[in-house]
C-alpha cells in the first residue's frame, strides 16, 4: 500500500435493542462510513452479514472491496474498544487491546474521495442506523499500533462531601456556604444536603417530623406512656458531618451538656436507598415531665 498508514479507533456500546433483533440491532450498522456514495468507502461495522465485526475499504467504482474481519461481532450491552491499523500492506483489527485478525490490505485510504462522512450511518440506504454509543473516535495518518490497546480506566470516586455537593449546584454568588439559605425555607444548605432537598427551591417536605408515640409502639419504658419522637431521613454517606440528637423538657434545656444523653435511637436506622431514616425519642415520658412538655432537635457539626 502506498501512502500513509492509517488508524481508526472507536468505542461501541449497545443501547436499546431493536424489537425482534435484540440488543445490538441488525447487521451492517456502522460505527463509521467515510467515502463517496457506495463506490468508494472506508467502513467499520460492529456486525456484518456473516456476524463478524468488519472493516472494509473500496477505492473505485465496481472494484472489489478488501475486508478485515474479526472472528465475532462486538459484544452488545457493554463498551468495547475496537481499532484498525493499516501499516504497509498489512491490516490488523484489535478488540479490547487484543489483535483478533490480520490480513493483506493493499488499497490506499488516500484514494477514497471522502465526500460523505458518517458516524453511526451507512452510505447504503438499506443498512440500519447504529444502535449504540460511540466515544473517542480517532483517525491518524500514520501507523500507531500502540493506540490499539485501550488505556487503563481512570476511576474518579464520587465526592460525597458537602463541598462536593455544593459544587454541583448553581448557587448565586456567596450562597454556597453551609449556613446559607438561598431559598429562604428555614433549611440551611447543610440540611438541604443531608436531607436530599433542592437548596434553590423552597420546600419543607424534607424537614424531620415529630410525633408522640407510646412506649408500646417504641418498645421502650412504660408501654402505656407517651414519648416525643423525631424521624430524620439523612444521607448514608455524609463524610465530615456528625449528627447529634438532643432532647430536654424545655427549650433552654436543649443547651444543657446532658441534652444529647436524653435523645435515644428507637432501634436501628431504616435503609431508604442512598438515605437512612433514624427515629430518636426523648427518654422521659410526657407524663413524667415536670412541665408536661418535651423538646427534641437534631444538631450537626461539619468538619
Amino acid at each position: 500500500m502506498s501512502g500513509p498508514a492509517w488508524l481508526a479507533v472507536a468505542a461501541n456500546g449497545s443501547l436499546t435493542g431493536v424489537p425482534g433483533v435484540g440488543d445490538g440491532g441488525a447487521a451492517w450498522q456502522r460505527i463509521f462510513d467515510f467515502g463517496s456514495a457506495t463506490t468508494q468507502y472506508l467502513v467499520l461495522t460492529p456486525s456484518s452479514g456473516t456476524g463478524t465485526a468488519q472493516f472494509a475499504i473500496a477505492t473505485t467504482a465496481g472494484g472489489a472491496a478488501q475486508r478485515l474481519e474479526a472472528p465475532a461481532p462486538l459484544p452488545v450491552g457493554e463498551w468495547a474498544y475496537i481499532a484498525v491499523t493499516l501499516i504497509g500492506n498489512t491490516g490488523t483489527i484489535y478488540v479490547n487491546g487484543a489483535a483478533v485478525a490480520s490480513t493483506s490490505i493493499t488499497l490506499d485510504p488516500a484514494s477514497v474521495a471522502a465526500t460523505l462522512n458518517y458516524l453511526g450511518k451507512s452510505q447504503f440506504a438499506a443498512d440500519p442506523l447504529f444502535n449504540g454509543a460511540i466515544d473517542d473516535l480517532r483517525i491518524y495518518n500514520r501507523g500507531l499500533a500502540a493506540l490499539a490497546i485501550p488505556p487503563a480506566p481512570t476511576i474518579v470516586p464520587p465526592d460525597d462531601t458537602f463541598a462536593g455537593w455544593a459544587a454541583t449546584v448553581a448557587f448565586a454568588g456567596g450562597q454556597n456556604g453551609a449556613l446559607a439559605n438561598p431559598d429562604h425555607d428555614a433549611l440551611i444548605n447543610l440540611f438541604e444536603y443531608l436531607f436530599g432537598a433542592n437548596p434553590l427551591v423552597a420546600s419543607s417536605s424534607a424537614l424531620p417530623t415529630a410525633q408522640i408515640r407510646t412506649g408500646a409502639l417504641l418498645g421502650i419504658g412504660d408501654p402505656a406512656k407517651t414519648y416525643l419522637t423525631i424521624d430524620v431521613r439523612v444521607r448514608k454517606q455524609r463524610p465530615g458531618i456528625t449528627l447529634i440528637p438532643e432532647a430536654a423538657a424545655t427549650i433552654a434545656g436543649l443547651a444543657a451538656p446532658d441534652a444529647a444523653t436524653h435523645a435515644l435511637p428507637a432501634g436501628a436506622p431504616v435503609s431508604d436507598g442512598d438515605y437512612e431514616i433514624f427515629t430518636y425519642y426523648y427518654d422521659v415520658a410526657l407524663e413524667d415531665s415536670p412541665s408536661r412538655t418535651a423538646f427534641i432537635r437534631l444538631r450537626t457539626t461539619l468538619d
Side-chain angles (χ1 to χ4, degrees), residues 14 259 293:
S14 172
T293 60

Side-chain angles (χ1 to χ4, degrees), residues 40 106 150 177 233:
Q40 299 184 42
T106 59
R233 180 179 180 271

Side-chain angles (χ1 to χ4, degrees), residues 218-266:
L218 294 171
I220 60 162
D222 188 332
K225 292 185 176 181
T226 54
Y227 299 82
L228 178 64
T229 67
I230 186 173
D231 297 327
V232 183
R233 180 179 180 271
V234 294
R235 292 175 181 268
K236 289 178 180 176
Q237 302 299 323
R238 45 182 188 274
I241 294 178
T242 303
L243 305 179
I244 307 170
E246 297 172 325
T250 64
I251 292 179
L254 291 174
D258 65 346
T261 67
H262 290 290
L264 304 179

Side-chain angles (χ1 to χ4, degrees), residues 37 40 47 53 56 64 78 86-87 102 126 136 181 185 223 236 246 250 278:
Q40 299 184 42
S47 181
E78 62 185 74
L86 302 183
I87 301 175
S102 186
D136 197 17
N181 181 23
D185 64 353
K236 289 178 180 176
E246 297 172 325
T250 64
F278 292 90

Side-chain angles (χ1 to χ4, degrees), residues 53-122:
Q54 182 185 113
F55 167 78
I57 177 173
T59 58
T60 59
Q66 294 183 347
R67 303 181 187 277
L68 180 58
E69 292 191 81
L74 290 188
V76 297
E78 62 185 74
W79 284 100
Y81 191 95
I82 183 168
V84 175
T85 62
L86 302 183
I87 301 175
N89 289 332
T90 300
T92 305
I93 189 167
Y94 299 79
V95 176
N96 292 329
V100 296
S102 186
T103 193
S104 174
I105 299 289
T106 59
L107 296 179
D108 186 353
S111 299
V112 176
T115 59
L116 298 172
N117 303 305
Y118 299 130
L119 296 181
K121 181 179 182 298
S122 171

